[in-house]
Every structure is written in C-alpha cells, then in structure tokens.
C-alpha cells in the first residue's frame, strides 16, 4: 500500500523481529501524514531518495527492543 508517491506502508513498518507490526487506523493516518512530510523533505533535497530505517513500531515490536510506549 502506498502512503504517498514514494513511501509505502511496508517500508515504514518494516521490522526484523518477526513480530506483528500493523498500525491501527489512527497510526495509519499519522503514517500518511509523515509520508506527506517526507515527500516535502525529499523534494527539498532535490528529489533524491530517502532511506527509511524506522518509522513505526507496534507495542510488541517496541517491547522487543526494550523501549516504552
């Protein structure tokens, strides 16, 4: 699923934990907003690709990394 022209849901929710990392409707809305902002950054940088390492963690994934909500 594309969240914007250059950013996909799979890209923004990727994890190597093997745990579910599926956003709820509110989180998905926020990820769309983030993708729109990242499009502006991408354009400002001369339309060069941006590599995303982490944009969303479910509670399960967050816990696996030892982080808190």
């Amino acid at each position: 699923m594309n969240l914007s022209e250059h950013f996909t849901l799979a890209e923004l929710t990727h994890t190597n934990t093997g745990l579910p990392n599926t956003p709820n409707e509110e989180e998905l809305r926020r990820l769309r907003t983030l993708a729109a902002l990242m499009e502006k950054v991408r354009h400002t940088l001369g339309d060069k690709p941006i590599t995303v390492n982490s944009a969303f963690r479910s509670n399960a994934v967050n816990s696996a990394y030892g982080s808190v909500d």
Side-chain angles (χ1 to χ4, degrees):
M1 165 194 292
N2 286 347
L3 298 177
S4 68
E5 182 179 356
H6 297 101
F7 299 99
T8 66
L9 179 62
E11 177 182 20
L12 298 183
T13 60
H14 176 77
T15 180
N16 291 324
T17 64
L19 297 168
N21 200 36
T22 306
N24 64 32
E25 287 301 316
E26 175 60 20
E27 293 161 338
L28 185 56
R29 184 189 66 74
R30 291 178 184 184
L31 284 170
R32 282 190 179 107
T33 299
L34 174 63
L37 292 170
M38 289 172 54
E39 289 290 349
K40 291 179 182 180
V41 171
R42 188 180 193 281
H43 180 70
T44 298
L45 296 174
D47 291 316
K48 295 183 179 168
I50 296 173
T51 301
V52 177
N53 293 325
S54 180
F56 173 79
R57 289 183 181 171
S58 65
N59 286 337
V61 172
N62 209 34
S63 293
Y65 283 106
S67 299
V68 295
D69 288 346

Coordinates of all heavy atoms in Angstrom, one line a residue:
M1 N 0.8 -1.2 0.0 CA 0.0 0.0 0.0 C 0.9 1.2 0.0 O 1.8 1.4 0.8 CB -0.9 0.0 1.2 CG -1.5 1.3 1.5 SD -2.3 1.6 3.1 CE -3.6 0.4 3.0
N2 N 0.7 2.1 -0.9 CA 1.4 3.4 -1.0 C 0.7 4.4 0.0 O -0.5 4.6 0.0 CB 1.4 4.0 -2.4 CG 2.3 3.2 -3.3 OD1 3.1 2.5 -2.9 ND2 2.2 3.5 -4.6
L3 N 1.6 5.0 0.8 CA 1.1 6.1 1.7 C 1.3 7.4 1.0 O 0.6 8.4 1.4 CB 1.9 6.1 3.0 CG 1.7 4.8 3.8 CD1 2.6 4.8 5.1 CD2 0.3 4.6 4.2
S4 N 2.2 7.5 0.0 CA 2.4 8.7 -0.8 C 3.1 8.3 -2.0 O 3.2 7.0 -2.3 CB 3.3 9.7 0.0 OG 4.6 9.2 0.2
E5 N 3.5 9.2 -2.8 CA 4.1 8.8 -4.1 C 5.4 7.9 -4.0 O 5.6 7.0 -4.8 CB 4.5 10.1 -4.9 CG 5.1 9.8 -6.3 CD 5.4 11.0 -7.0 OE1 5.2 12.2 -6.6 OE2 6.0 10.9 -8.2
H6 N 6.2 8.2 -3.0 CA 7.5 7.5 -2.8 C 7.6 6.6 -1.6 O 8.7 6.0 -1.4 CB 8.6 8.5 -2.9 CG 8.7 9.2 -4.2 ND1 8.3 10.5 -4.3 CD2 9.2 8.9 -5.4 CE1 8.5 10.9 -5.5 NE2 9.1 9.9 -6.2
F7 N 6.6 6.6 -0.7 CA 6.8 5.8 0.5 C 5.6 4.9 0.7 O 4.4 5.2 0.5 CB 6.8 6.8 1.7 CG 8.0 7.7 1.7 CD1 7.8 9.0 1.2 CD2 9.2 7.3 2.0 CE1 8.9 9.9 1.1 CE2 10.3 8.1 1.9 CZ 10.2 9.4 1.4
T8 N 6.0 3.6 1.1 CA 5.0 2.6 1.2 C 4.8 2.2 2.7 O 5.6 2.5 3.5 CB 5.4 1.3 0.5 OG1 6.5 0.7 1.1 CG2 5.6 1.5 -1.0
L9 N 3.6 1.6 3.0 CA 3.4 1.1 4.3 C 4.4 0.1 4.7 O 4.9 0.1 5.8 CB 2.0 0.6 4.4 CG 1.6 0.0 5.8 CD1 1.6 1.1 6.9 CD2 0.2 -0.6 5.7
A10 N 4.7 -0.8 3.8 CA 5.7 -1.9 4.1 C 7.1 -1.3 4.5 O 7.7 -1.7 5.4 CB 5.9 -2.8 2.9
E11 N 7.5 -0.2 3.8 CA 8.7 0.5 4.1 C 8.7 1.1 5.5 O 9.7 1.0 6.2 CB 9.0 1.5 3.0 CG 10.2 2.3 3.2 CD 10.4 3.4 2.1 OE1 9.4 3.8 1.5 OE2 11.5 3.9 2.0
L12 N 7.6 1.7 5.8 CA 7.6 2.5 7.1 C 7.3 1.6 8.3 O 7.4 2.0 9.4 CB 6.6 3.6 7.0 CG 6.8 4.7 6.0 CD1 5.8 5.8 6.0 CD2 8.2 5.3 6.1
T13 N 6.9 0.3 8.1 CA 6.6 -0.6 9.2 C 7.5 -1.8 9.2 O 7.3 -2.7 10.0 CB 5.1 -1.1 9.1 OG1 4.9 -1.8 7.9 CG2 4.1 0.1 9.2
H14 N 8.6 -1.8 8.4 CA 9.5 -2.9 8.4 C 10.1 -3.2 9.7 O 10.5 -2.3 10.5 CB 10.6 -2.6 7.3 CG 11.6 -3.7 7.3 ND1 11.4 -4.9 6.7 CD2 12.9 -3.8 7.9 CE1 12.5 -5.7 6.9 NE2 13.4 -5.0 7.6
T15 N 10.2 -4.4 10.1 CA 10.9 -4.9 11.3 C 11.6 -6.2 11.0 O 11.1 -7.0 10.2 CB 9.9 -4.9 12.5 OG1 10.7 -5.4 13.6 CG2 8.8 -5.9 12.2
N16 N 12.7 -6.5 11.7 CA 13.3 -7.8 11.6 C 13.0 -8.7 12.8 O 13.6 -9.7 12.9 CB 14.9 -7.5 11.6 CG 15.3 -6.9 10.3 OD1 14.7 -7.1 9.2 ND2 16.3 -6.0 10.4
T17 N 12.0 -8.3 13.6 CA 11.7 -9.1 14.8 C 10.9 -10.3 14.5 O 10.8 -11.2 15.3 CB 11.0 -8.2 15.8 OG1 9.7 -7.8 15.3 CG2 11.8 -7.0 16.3
G18 N 10.1 -10.3 13.4 CA 9.2 -11.3 13.1 C 7.9 -11.2 13.9 O 6.9 -12.0 13.8
L19 N 7.7 -10.1 14.6 CA 6.5 -9.8 15.4 C 5.6 -8.9 14.5 O 6.0 -8.2 13.6 CB 6.9 -9.0 16.6 CG 7.7 -9.7 17.7 CD1 8.2 -8.8 18.7 CD2 6.9 -10.9 18.3
P20 N 4.3 -9.0 14.8 CA 3.3 -8.2 14.1 C 3.6 -6.7 14.3 O 4.0 -6.2 15.4 CB 2.0 -8.5 14.7 CG 2.2 -9.7 15.6 CD 3.6 -9.8 15.9
N21 N 3.6 -6.0 13.2 CA 3.9 -4.5 13.2 C 2.9 -3.8 12.4 O 3.2 -3.1 11.4 CB 5.3 -4.3 12.7 CG 5.8 -2.9 13.2 OD1 5.5 -2.5 14.3 ND2 6.6 -2.3 12.4
T22 N 1.6 -4.0 12.7 CA 0.5 -3.5 11.9 C -0.1 -2.3 12.6 O -0.6 -2.4 13.8 CB -0.6 -4.5 11.7 OG1 0.0 -5.7 11.1 CG2 -1.7 -4.0 10.8
P23 N -0.1 -1.1 12.0 CA -0.7 0.1 12.7 C -2.2 0.0 12.7 O -2.9 -0.6 11.7 CB -0.2 1.2 11.8 CG 0.0 0.6 10.5 CD 0.4 -0.8 10.7
N24 N -2.8 0.6 13.7 CA -4.3 0.8 13.7 C -4.7 2.0 12.8 O -3.8 2.6 12.2 CB -4.8 0.9 15.1 CG -4.3 2.1 15.9 OD1 -4.1 3.2 15.2 ND2 -4.1 2.0 17.2
E25 N -5.9 2.3 12.7 CA -6.4 3.3 11.8 C -5.8 4.7 12.2 O -5.4 5.4 11.3 CB -7.9 3.4 11.8 CG -8.6 2.3 11.1 CD -8.2 2.2 9.7 OE1 -8.1 3.2 8.9 OE2 -7.9 1.0 9.2
E26 N -5.7 5.0 13.4 CA -5.1 6.3 13.8 C -3.6 6.3 13.5 O -3.1 7.3 13.0 CB -5.3 6.6 15.3 CG -4.6 7.8 15.9 CD -5.1 9.1 15.2 OE1 -6.2 9.2 14.6 OE2 -4.3 10.1 15.3
E27 N -2.9 5.3 13.8 CA -1.5 5.2 13.5 C -1.3 5.3 12.0 O -0.3 5.9 11.5 CB -0.9 3.9 14.1 CG -0.9 3.9 15.6 CD -0.8 2.6 16.2 OE1 -1.1 1.5 15.6 OE2 -0.3 2.5 17.4
L28 N -2.1 4.6 11.2 CA -2.0 4.7 9.7 C -2.3 6.1 9.2 O -1.6 6.6 8.3 CB -3.1 3.7 9.1 CG -3.0 3.6 7.6 CD1 -1.7 3.1 7.1 CD2 -4.1 2.6 7.2
R29 N -3.2 6.8 9.8 CA -3.4 8.2 9.5 C -2.2 9.0 9.7 O -1.7 9.9 8.9 CB -4.6 8.8 10.3 CG -4.9 10.2 9.9 CD -6.0 10.9 10.8 NE -5.4 11.1 12.1 CZ -4.6 12.0 12.5 NH1 -4.1 12.8 11.6 NH2 -4.2 12.1 13.8
R30 N -1.5 8.8 10.9 CA -0.3 9.5 11.2 C 0.9 9.1 10.3 O 1.7 10.0 9.9 CB 0.1 9.2 12.7 CG -0.9 9.8 13.7 CD -0.5 9.5 15.1 NE -1.5 10.0 16.0 CZ -1.4 10.0 17.3 NH1 -0.3 9.4 17.9 NH2 -2.3 10.5 18.1
L31 N 0.9 7.9 9.9 CA 2.0 7.5 8.9 C 1.8 8.1 7.6 O 2.7 8.5 6.9 CB 2.0 6.0 8.8 CG 2.6 5.2 9.9 CD1 2.4 3.7 9.8 CD2 4.1 5.5 10.0
R32 N 0.5 8.3 7.2 CA 0.2 9.1 5.9 C 0.7 10.5 6.0 O 1.3 11.1 5.1 CB -1.3 9.0 5.6 CG -1.7 7.7 5.0 CD -3.1 7.8 4.5 NE -3.5 6.5 3.9 CZ -4.3 5.6 4.5 NH1 -4.9 5.9 5.6 NH2 -4.6 4.5 3.9
T33 N 0.5 11.1 7.2 CA 0.9 12.5 7.4 C 2.4 12.5 7.4 O 3.0 13.4 6.8 CB 0.4 13.0 8.8 OG1 -1.0 13.0 8.7 CG2 0.9 14.4 9.1
L34 N 3.1 11.6 8.0 CA 4.5 11.5 8.0 C 5.1 11.4 6.6 O 6.0 12.0 6.2 CB 5.0 10.4 8.9 CG 6.5 10.1 8.8 CD1 7.3 11.3 9.4 CD2 6.8 8.8 9.6
A35 N 4.4 10.5 5.8 CA 4.9 10.3 4.4 C 4.7 11.5 3.6 O 5.6 11.9 2.8 CB 4.1 9.1 3.8
A36 N 3.7 12.3 3.8 CA 3.5 13.6 3.1 C 4.6 14.6 3.5 O 5.1 15.3 2.6 CB 2.1 14.2 3.4
L37 N 5.0 14.6 4.7 CA 6.1 15.5 5.2 C 7.4 15.0 4.6 O 8.2 15.8 4.2 CB 6.1 15.5 6.7 CG 5.0 16.2 7.4 CD1 5.0 16.0 8.9 CD2 4.9 17.7 7.0
M38 N 7.6 13.7 4.5 CA 8.8 13.2 4.0 C 8.9 13.5 2.5 O 10.0 13.6 1.9 CB 8.9 11.7 4.3 CG 9.2 11.4 5.8 SD 9.1 9.7 6.2 CE 10.2 8.9 5.1
E39 N 7.8 13.5 1.8 CA 7.8 13.9 0.4 C 8.3 15.3 0.2 O 9.1 15.6 -0.7 CB 6.4 13.8 -0.2 CG 5.8 12.4 -0.4 CD 6.5 11.6 -1.5 OE1 7.3 12.2 -2.3 OE2 6.3 10.4 -1.6
K40 N 7.9 16.2 1.1 CA 8.4 17.6 1.1 C 9.9 17.7 1.3 O 10.6 18.4 0.6 CB 7.7 18.5 2.1 CG 6.2 18.7 1.8 CD 5.5 19.5 2.8 CE 4.1 19.7 2.5 NZ 3.4 20.5 3.5
V41 N 10.4 16.9 2.3 CA 11.8 16.8 2.5 C 12.6 16.3 1.3 O 13.6 16.8 0.9 CB 12.1 15.9 3.8 CG1 13.6 15.6 3.9 CG2 11.6 16.5 5.0
R42 N 12.0 15.2 0.7 CA 12.6 14.6 -0.5 C 12.7 15.6 -1.6 O 13.8 15.7 -2.2 CB 11.8 13.4 -0.9 CG 12.4 12.6 -2.0 CD 11.4 11.4 -2.4 NE 12.0 10.4 -3.2 CZ 12.2 10.5 -4.5 NH1 11.8 11.6 -5.1 NH2 12.8 9.5 -5.2
H43 N 11.7 16.4 -1.8 CA 11.7 17.4 -2.8 C 12.7 18.5 -2.5 O 13.5 19.0 -3.4 CB 10.3 18.1 -3.0 CG 10.2 19.1 -4.0 ND1 10.3 18.8 -5.3 CD2 10.1 20.4 -3.9 CE1 10.3 20.0 -6.0 NE2 10.1 21.0 -5.2
T44 N 12.8 18.9 -1.2 CA 13.8 19.9 -0.8 C 15.2 19.5 -1.1 O 16.1 20.3 -1.4 CB 13.6 20.3 0.7 OG1 12.3 20.8 0.9 CG2 14.6 21.3 1.2
L45 N 15.4 18.2 -1.0 CA 16.8 17.6 -1.2 C 17.0 17.3 -2.7 O 18.0 16.6 -3.0 CB 16.9 16.3 -0.4 CG 16.9 16.5 1.1 CD1 16.9 15.2 1.8 CD2 18.0 17.4 1.6
G46 N 16.2 17.8 -3.5 CA 16.4 17.7 -5.0 C 15.8 16.4 -5.5 O 16.3 15.8 -6.5
D47 N 14.7 15.9 -4.9 CA 14.0 14.7 -5.3 C 14.9 13.5 -5.3 O 14.8 12.6 -6.1 CB 13.4 14.9 -6.7 CG 12.2 15.9 -6.6 OD1 11.4 15.8 -5.6 OD2 12.1 16.8 -7.5
K48 N 15.8 13.5 -4.3 CA 16.7 12.3 -4.1 C 16.0 11.3 -3.2 O 15.3 11.7 -2.2 CB 18.1 12.7 -3.6 CG 18.8 13.5 -4.6 CD 20.2 13.9 -4.1 CE 20.8 14.7 -5.2 NZ 22.0 15.3 -4.8
P49 N 16.2 10.0 -3.4 CA 15.6 9.0 -2.5 C 16.0 9.2 -1.0 O 17.1 9.6 -0.7 CB 16.0 7.7 -3.0 CG 16.4 8.0 -4.4 CD 16.9 9.4 -4.4
I50 N 15.1 8.9 -0.1 CA 15.3 8.8 1.3 C 15.2 7.4 1.8 O 14.2 6.7 1.4 CB 14.3 9.7 2.1 CG1 14.4 11.2 1.7 CG2 14.4 9.5 3.6 CD1 13.3 12.0 2.2
T51 N 16.2 6.9 2.5 CA 16.1 5.6 3.1 C 15.5 5.6 4.4 O 16.0 6.4 5.3 CB 17.5 4.9 3.1 OG1 18.1 4.9 1.8 CG2 17.5 3.5 3.7
V52 N 14.5 4.9 4.7 CA 13.8 4.8 6.0 C 14.3 3.6 6.8 O 14.2 2.5 6.3 CB 12.3 4.8 5.8 CG1 11.6 4.7 7.1 CG2 11.8 6.0 5.0
N53 N 14.8 3.8 8.0 CA 15.3 2.7 8.8 C 14.2 2.3 9.8 O 14.1 1.2 10.2 CB 16.5 3.1 9.6 CG 17.7 3.2 8.6 OD1 17.8 2.5 7.6 ND2 18.6 4.2 8.9
S54 N 13.4 3.3 10.3 CA 12.4 3.0 11.2 C 11.4 4.2 11.3 O 11.8 5.3 11.3 CB 13.0 2.9 12.6 OG 12.0 2.6 13.6
A55 N 10.1 3.9 11.2 CA 9.1 4.9 11.2 C 8.0 4.6 12.2 O 7.3 5.4 12.7 CB 8.6 5.3 9.9
F56 N 7.8 3.3 12.4 CA 6.7 2.8 13.2 C 7.0 1.5 13.9 O 7.7 0.6 13.3 CB 5.4 2.6 12.4 CG 4.3 1.9 13.2 CD1 3.5 2.7 14.0 CD2 4.1 0.6 13.1 CE1 2.5 2.1 14.7 CE2 3.0 0.0 13.8 CZ 2.2 0.8 14.6
R57 N 6.7 1.4 15.2 CA 6.8 0.2 16.0 C 5.5 -0.1 16.7 O 5.0 0.8 17.4 CB 7.9 0.3 17.0 CG 9.3 0.3 16.5 CD 10.3 0.4 17.6 NE 11.7 0.4 17.2 CZ 12.7 0.6 18.0 NH1 12.5 0.9 19.2 NH2 13.9 0.7 17.5
S58 N 5.0 -1.3 16.5 CA 3.8 -1.7 17.3 C 4.3 -1.9 18.8 O 5.5 -1.9 19.1 CB 3.3 -3.0 16.8 OG 4.3 -4.1 17.0
N59 N 3.4 -2.0 19.7 CA 3.7 -2.2 21.1 C 4.6 -3.5 21.3 O 5.6 -3.5 22.0 CB 2.5 -2.3 22.0 CG 1.8 -1.0 22.2 OD1 2.5 0.1 22.0 ND2 0.6 -1.0 22.5
A60 N 4.3 -4.5 20.5 CA 5.0 -5.8 20.6 C 6.5 -5.6 20.1 O 7.4 -6.0 20.8 CB 4.4 -6.9 19.8
V61 N 6.6 -4.9 19.0 CA 8.0 -4.6 18.5 C 8.7 -3.7 19.4 O 9.9 -3.9 19.7 CB 7.9 -4.1 17.0 CG1 9.3 -3.6 16.5 CG2 7.3 -5.1 16.1
N62 N 8.1 -2.6 19.9 CA 8.7 -1.7 20.8 C 9.2 -2.4 22.0 O 10.3 -2.1 22.5 CB 7.7 -0.6 21.2 CG 8.3 0.7 21.5 OD1 9.3 1.1 20.9 ND2 7.7 1.5 22.4
S63 N 8.4 -3.3 22.6 CA 8.8 -4.0 23.8 C 10.0 -4.9 23.5 O 10.9 -5.1 24.3 CB 7.6 -4.9 24.3 OG 6.6 -4.0 24.8
A64 N 10.0 -5.5 22.3 CA 11.1 -6.4 21.9 C 12.5 -5.7 21.9 O 13.5 -6.2 22.2 CB 10.9 -7.0 20.6
Y65 N 12.4 -4.4 21.6 CA 13.6 -3.5 21.6 C 13.9 -2.9 23.0 O 14.9 -2.2 23.1 CB 13.5 -2.4 20.6 CG 13.7 -2.9 19.2 CD1 12.7 -3.0 18.3 CD2 15.0 -3.2 18.7 CE1 12.9 -3.5 17.0 CE2 15.2 -3.7 17.4 CZ 14.2 -3.8 16.5 OH 14.4 -4.2 15.3
G66 N 13.1 -3.2 24.0 CA 13.3 -2.7 25.3 C 12.9 -1.3 25.5 O 13.2 -0.7 26.5
S67 N 12.0 -0.8 24.6 CA 11.6 0.6 24.7 C 10.2 0.6 25.4 O 9.6 -0.4 25.6 CB 11.4 1.2 23.3 OG 12.7 1.2 22.6
V68 N 9.8 1.8 25.7 CA 8.5 2.0 26.4 C 7.6 2.8 25.4 O 8.1 3.4 24.5 CB 8.6 2.7 27.7 CG1 9.4 1.9 28.7 CG2 9.3 4.1 27.5
D69 N 6.3 2.8 25.7 CA 5.3 3.5 24.9 C 5.7 5.0 24.8 O 6.2 5.6 25.7 CB 3.9 3.4 25.4 CG 3.4 1.9 25.2 OD1 4.0 1.2 24.4 OD2 2.3 1.6 25.8

